[in-house]
Amino acid sequence: MRVVMAKIVSAGLLGFSEATAHIHSGKLVAFGTETVYGLGGNAVDGEAVARIFRAKGRPSFNPLISHVPQADIAFGLGKPTPLAQMLAAAFWPGPMTLVLEQRENCPISSLATSGLDSIALRVPGSELARAFLQEVSLPVAAPSANRSGRISPTRADHVQDELGAEADIAMILDMGPCVEGLESTVIDARGQKPVILRPGSVTAEMIRDLTGVQLEKAGHDIVSPGQLASHYAPRTPVALNQSTPKENDAWIGFGDAPQGKAHAVFSFSEKGDLIEAAASLYDTLRQADAAGAKRIAIAPIPAEGIGTAINDRLSRAAAGSLALSD
Ligand code: TXA
Ligand code: MG
């Protein structure tokens, strides 16, 4: 069988306008930054974000970084703190990601933020990356453009080898080899003291020299939110793999409408589409949680492709209420 590979296009005006059209139509574009190549999609479009997870073959949904061309755009999405402003003035554009509280009207898809109230934002140091983001003029969600569990790519041909055969990846923007080659430093800047969630080339010493704050040792003892057993658990108990609703249930279906009565009826995807289900996952869980039911009963979701990540997230949502599953 002949596999069609994503085309590699040199960064430049023509490449940018083609790439922008792809991002606007919900497709994915791999692009270079100073750290590693990212697999980019429209961060506001939940289905585009779901395609990122599917293309990477990620077994769970870690929150993603939203990339923007300027600090003031980042601060339009996340609430700046004095600490965040100080860090941004010193290290943006550059290999640093700030975790901030989302603004009330933040349009980023809840799949990109894993249903958290926070958001991770980055203004890349690479001028080509910023020119691309400027042209797109939407926040671009982008994890490293490798298959889940593999090494991050630092050249366009690495991306081609890893992910070139993925149908949703419309093109690879070649921006040359990455100068840093290591993922950005992730800093929680919501409080008064910076907390390093992931070490990178903006080092603890650099942050200490800037802020005058001696940092606690970070890294192995701080768990990224995607890894926590239960970071978004509804208040209502959750029962998975249900075949029919009970009367007091908020039902969340997938595919066909439920047989029998329920307190309230929702669906991850009425047409039984896993991409649509991933995109609507957190919003639907929140709605079901707000429905005033005794229990949230969820239909079985096929554990294939991105369905694996959906089931991973659902089992975390149900972690505190397993006794109720039957
Ligand atoms: O250098 C980079 O940061 C690259 C390039 C493409 O920009 N991107 C990257 O993305 O490494 P990714 O998805 O592989 O890593 C995102 C990191 C994860 O460690 C994740 O847990 C953390 O950012 N993160 C994202 N949102 C977060 C949030 N709301 N709170 C805490 N950590 C968050
Ligand atoms: Mg990665």
Side-chain angles (χ1 to χ4, degrees), residues 56 58 143-144 146 152 183 198:
K56 281 185 64 95
R58 265 203 184 171
S144 50
N146 50 284
S152 296
E183 285 92 343
R198 180 176 72 183

Side-chain angles (χ1 to χ4, degrees), residues 8 21 34 59 64 68 83 161 185 221 226 272 304 311 324:
I8 301 186
E34 77 281 22
L64 303 180
V68 293
L83 171 66
D161 292 345
T185 307
D221 47 348
E304 63 194 39
N311 279 295
L324 271 152

Side-chain angles (χ1 to χ4, degrees), residues 13-36:
L13 290 183
L14 270 180
F16 287 163
S17 61
E18 189 182 341
T20 298
H22 287 310
I23 296 277
H24 287 184
S25 71
K27 292 247 172 199
L28 309 182
V29 172
F31 65 101
T33 76
E34 77 281 22
T35 61
V36 299

